[in-house]
Amino acid sequence: MRSMPILKPIRTAGPGLLRLAILALVSTGLLFAGCSKTVVVTIPPKVDLKAYKTVGVIELSGKPDDGLTRDATQKFFGNLQGAQPGVRLLELGSRESVLKDLGRSDLDFQAIRALGEKYGIDAVLTGNIELSDVRPDVNFSGGLTSVSAQAKIDGKMNAKLWETASGASVWSNSSWGSWSVGGVKLTNGGMPSVGYKNPKEKRDEIVMALIKALNHDFWPTYQKRKVKD
């Protein structure tokens, strides 16, 4: 007589075992997730000034004529060399003096080519900056029940990069904006009276803001990217 096999009961996972299984799966997922990491990648600037052996810089033109253009040019210089250390910049002087030396009346492509031959430079940067006088900016509410007033300065700047071999423009950009520099008081007659503090410090801030916005194409940028080990 044949004996019947003994059947062993099948054990099912209880709540405790189920929790352990879930924890194991989660830990495994975290382990694989931990295999990736984030690195910072440098994106080269859109305009590489180091592609040119030497870049000539003509002093910025503009207004007001109280040392603004000379000061802005030096800040422009510093920002460019901060963006691309080692770039060779040659100060050429003011637009007027450059044109006088070349015997020309306008800074056209022929003048740019002449600058390349005269100074042995590969490119020329030119530009303009203008700051307005302090102006009141007064706003009344719809029901004329309240008034807000500020003193503001408007600023704008533009620049262009020329290649001396052809005299062609290869880059240009501009920046602009308005900045609050103080408050405005209304007299009994309703006329605004402008008052502000530290105008020189505020002007430096405005000039640097215009330059940084203008020179964005000369600076490298940075991106975070995920990579796997």
Side-chain angles (χ1 to χ4, degrees):
M1 186 175 182
R2 207 183 248 183
S3 61
M4 297 295 292
I6 299 174
L7 298 179
K8 295 182 179 180
I10 300 174
R11 294 184 180 179
T12 58
L17 290 176
L18 185 59
R19 280 197 296 271
L20 288 175
I22 293 173
L23 286 173
L25 288 173
V26 171
S27 300
T28 304
L30 291 175
L31 182 63
F32 281 110
C35 293
S36 63
K37 62 181 180 180
T38 301
V39 297
V40 178
V41 178
T42 302
I43 309 299
K46 292 182 180 179
V47 182
D48 184 8
L49 293 176
K50 291 183 181 179
Y52 306 101
K53 186 176 179 181
T54 306
V55 179
V57 180
I58 295 178
E59 183 178 309
L60 298 172
S61 57
K63 61 181 183 180
D65 186 16
D66 59 356
L68 168 67
T69 56
R70 179 64 179 171
D71 180 55
T73 301
Q74 293 304 310
K75 288 181 170 59
F76 186 50
F77 252 81
N79 187 266
L80 288 174
Q81 291 180 323
Q84 299 183 27
V87 63
R88 294 165 61 88
L89 301 177
L90 177 66
E91 293 186 73
L92 300 176
S94 67
R95 184 187 182 100
E96 293 74 16
S97 64
V98 165
L99 290 174
K100 183 177 180 181
D101 288 343
L102 294 176
R104 297 182 177 275
S105 59
D106 192 21
L107 195 63
D108 54 16
F109 78 95
Q110 292 177 325
I112 296 297
R113 293 177 65 178
L115 283 173
E117 295 174 2
K118 182 178 178 68
Y119 296 105
I121 55 181
D122 304 302
V124 177
L125 273 165
T126 62
N128 182 82
I129 185 169
E130 293 184 10
L131 299 183
S132 70
D133 294 330
V134 179
R135 63 175 178 83
D137 182 25
V138 182
N139 296 301
F140 294 92
S141 65
L144 300 179
T145 56
S146 63
V147 59
S148 62
Q150 294 181 348
K152 287 189 173 183
I153 289 179
D154 301 321
K156 60 182 179 179
M157 185 176 179
N158 60 70
K160 186 177 290 187
L161 178 67
W162 311 72
E163 285 186 341
T164 57
S166 62
S169 169
V170 294
W171 171 86
S172 64
N173 201 7
S174 59
S175 59
W176 61 90
S178 297
W179 288 264
S180 175
V181 295
V184 176
K185 295 181 179 180
L186 297 180
T187 63
N188 293 332
M191 296 299 294
S193 174
V194 179
Y196 54 93
K197 297 180 180 180
N198 300 323
K200 178 63 170 61
E201 293 178 10
K202 192 64 179 182
R203 191 169 84 167
D204 289 345
E205 178 186 328
I206 294 171
V207 169
M208 282 308 306
L210 289 170
I211 290 173
K212 288 179 179 179
L214 183 82
N215 285 354
H216 182 266
D217 289 341
F218 298 116
W219 282 83
T221 55
Y222 304 93
Q223 290 183 356
K224 287 184 178 181
R225 295 181 181 177
K226 289 184 177 180
V227 296
K228 293 183 178 181
D229 290 337

